[in-house]
mmCIF file of all heavy atoms in Angstrom:
data_model
loop_
_atom_site.group_PDB
_atom_site.id
_atom_site.type_symbol
_atom_site.label_atom_id
_atom_site.label_comp_id
_atom_site.label_asym_id
_atom_site.label_seq_id
_atom_site.Cartn_x
_atom_site.Cartn_y
_atom_site.Cartn_z
ATOM 1 N N GLU K 32 104.338 85.968 91.618
ATOM 2 C CA GLU K 32 103.739 86.795 92.744
ATOM 3 C C GLU K 32 102.235 86.383 92.776
ATOM 4 O O GLU K 32 101.482 86.576 91.893
ATOM 5 C CB GLU K 32 103.867 88.212 92.356
ATOM 6 C CG GLU K 32 102.814 89.246 92.988
ATOM 7 C CD GLU K 32 102.922 89.415 94.492
ATOM 8 O OE1 GLU K 32 104.101 89.472 95.069
ATOM 9 O OE2 GLU K 32 101.822 89.224 95.100
ATOM 10 N N SER K 34 100.629 86.940 96.207
ATOM 11 C CA SER K 34 100.372 87.203 97.569
ATOM 12 C C SER K 34 98.993 87.706 97.933
ATOM 13 O O SER K 34 98.518 87.647 99.145
ATOM 14 C CB SER K 34 101.422 88.198 98.219
ATOM 15 O OG SER K 34 101.185 89.474 97.604
ATOM 16 N N CYS K 35 98.250 88.253 96.884
ATOM 17 C CA CYS K 35 96.973 88.881 97.323
ATOM 18 C C CYS K 35 95.989 88.562 96.031
ATOM 19 O O CYS K 35 95.675 87.416 95.826
ATOM 20 C CB CYS K 35 97.196 90.306 97.559
ATOM 21 S SG CYS K 35 95.720 91.165 98.237
ATOM 22 N N GLU K 37 96.384 89.483 92.627
ATOM 23 C CA GLU K 37 97.025 89.601 91.341
ATOM 24 C C GLU K 37 97.814 88.208 91.191
ATOM 25 O O GLU K 37 98.594 88.016 92.044
ATOM 26 C CB GLU K 37 97.942 90.760 91.144
ATOM 27 C CG GLU K 37 97.256 91.896 90.413
ATOM 28 C CD GLU K 37 96.724 92.954 91.377
ATOM 29 O OE1 GLU K 37 97.092 93.070 92.505
ATOM 30 O OE2 GLU K 37 95.817 93.616 90.870
ATOM 31 N N HIS K 135 107.354 90.554 100.017
ATOM 32 C CA HIS K 135 106.582 91.362 99.033
ATOM 33 C C HIS K 135 106.909 92.833 99.089
ATOM 34 O O HIS K 135 106.945 93.542 98.045
ATOM 35 C CB HIS K 135 105.052 91.026 99.442
ATOM 36 C CG HIS K 135 104.108 91.898 98.472
ATOM 37 N ND1 HIS K 135 103.805 91.485 97.278
ATOM 38 C CD2 HIS K 135 103.467 92.976 98.691
ATOM 39 C CE1 HIS K 135 102.975 92.296 96.714
ATOM 40 N NE2 HIS K 135 102.715 93.259 97.558
ATOM 41 N N LEU K 136 107.145 93.294 100.370
ATOM 42 C CA LEU K 136 107.389 94.842 100.422
ATOM 43 C C LEU K 136 108.790 95.142 99.903
ATOM 44 O O LEU K 136 109.006 96.197 99.322
ATOM 45 C CB LEU K 136 107.287 95.240 101.826
ATOM 46 C CG LEU K 136 105.884 94.980 102.385
ATOM 47 C CD1 LEU K 136 105.860 95.606 103.830
ATOM 48 C CD2 LEU K 136 104.807 95.748 101.579
ATOM 49 N N HIS K 139 108.229 95.835 96.360
ATOM 50 C CA HIS K 139 107.729 97.062 96.030
ATOM 51 C C HIS K 139 108.798 98.133 95.947
ATOM 52 O O HIS K 139 108.853 99.042 95.327
ATOM 53 C CB HIS K 139 106.614 97.507 97.051
ATOM 54 C CG HIS K 139 105.254 96.992 96.797
ATOM 55 N ND1 HIS K 139 104.627 97.296 95.563
ATOM 56 C CD2 HIS K 139 104.386 96.284 97.458
ATOM 57 C CE1 HIS K 139 103.481 96.726 95.512
ATOM 58 N NE2 HIS K 139 103.229 96.036 96.650
ATOM 59 N N SER K 160 101.037 100.736 100.597
ATOM 60 C CA SER K 160 100.286 99.680 99.881
ATOM 61 C C SER K 160 98.921 99.525 100.542
ATOM 62 O O SER K 160 98.525 100.318 101.569
ATOM 63 C CB SER K 160 101.021 98.450 99.830
ATOM 64 O OG SER K 160 101.160 97.816 101.132
ATOM 65 N N GLY K 161 98.209 98.490 100.181
ATOM 66 C CA GLY K 161 96.978 98.160 100.809
ATOM 67 C C GLY K 161 97.132 97.734 102.310
ATOM 68 O O GLY K 161 96.257 97.902 103.124
ATOM 69 N N GLY K 162 98.266 97.065 102.585
ATOM 70 C CA GLY K 162 98.435 96.459 103.951
ATOM 71 C C GLY K 162 99.448 97.259 104.720
ATOM 72 O O GLY K 162 99.675 97.046 105.972
ATOM 73 N N GLY K 299 104.422 100.745 96.215
ATOM 74 C CA GLY K 299 103.191 100.238 96.659
ATOM 75 C C GLY K 299 102.050 100.836 95.847
ATOM 76 O O GLY K 299 102.216 101.826 95.235
ATOM 77 N N GLY K 300 100.847 100.223 95.986
ATOM 78 C CA GLY K 300 99.669 100.664 95.151
ATOM 79 C C GLY K 300 99.373 102.120 95.311
ATOM 80 O O GLY K 300 98.945 102.774 94.357
ATOM 81 N N CYS K 330 103.568 100.163 90.337
ATOM 82 C CA CYS K 330 103.117 100.493 91.659
ATOM 83 C C CYS K 330 102.291 99.368 92.305
ATOM 84 O O CYS K 330 102.551 98.995 93.425
ATOM 85 C CB CYS K 330 102.324 101.802 91.685
ATOM 86 S SG CYS K 330 103.312 103.362 91.276
ATOM 87 N N THR K 331 101.343 98.925 91.525
ATOM 88 C CA THR K 331 100.564 97.870 92.056
ATOM 89 C C THR K 331 101.087 96.541 91.887
ATOM 90 O O THR K 331 102.214 96.436 91.168
ATOM 91 C CB THR K 331 99.043 97.822 91.331
ATOM 92 O OG1 THR K 331 99.370 98.025 89.920
ATOM 93 C CG2 THR K 331 98.309 98.981 91.913
ATOM 94 N N ASP K 332 100.612 95.505 92.481
ATOM 95 C CA ASP K 332 101.312 94.181 92.419
ATOM 96 C C ASP K 332 101.651 93.649 91.159
ATOM 97 O O ASP K 332 100.889 93.645 90.286
ATOM 98 C CB ASP K 332 100.457 93.178 93.240
ATOM 99 C CG ASP K 332 100.422 93.467 94.763
ATOM 100 O OD1 ASP K 332 101.195 94.392 95.185
ATOM 101 O OD2 ASP K 332 99.647 92.971 95.499
ATOM 102 N N ASN K 333 102.948 93.125 91.045
ATOM 103 C CA ASN K 333 103.478 92.582 89.771
ATOM 104 C C ASN K 333 104.621 91.648 90.119
ATOM 105 O O ASN K 333 105.142 91.746 91.229
ATOM 106 C CB ASN K 333 103.854 93.694 88.760
ATOM 107 C CG ASN K 333 104.982 94.457 89.345
ATOM 108 O OD1 ASN K 333 106.167 94.167 89.204
ATOM 109 N ND2 ASN K 333 104.784 95.550 90.100
ATOM 110 N N MET K 336 108.761 93.250 89.859
ATOM 111 C CA MET K 336 109.487 93.814 91.053
ATOM 112 C C MET K 336 110.123 92.644 91.957
ATOM 113 O O MET K 336 111.133 92.855 92.611
ATOM 114 C CB MET K 336 108.581 94.619 91.852
ATOM 115 C CG MET K 336 107.349 93.947 92.457
ATOM 116 S SD MET K 336 106.226 95.061 93.256
ATOM 117 C CE MET K 336 105.227 93.922 94.289
HETATM 118 ZN ZN1 LIG T 16 101.621 94.929 97.102
#
Side-chain angles (χ1 to χ4, degrees):
E32 155 65 47
S34 67
C35 195
E37 258 97 23
H135 182 76
L136 299 183
H139 276 303
S160 70
C330 289
T331 43
D332 289 349
N333 64 87
M336 66 185 195

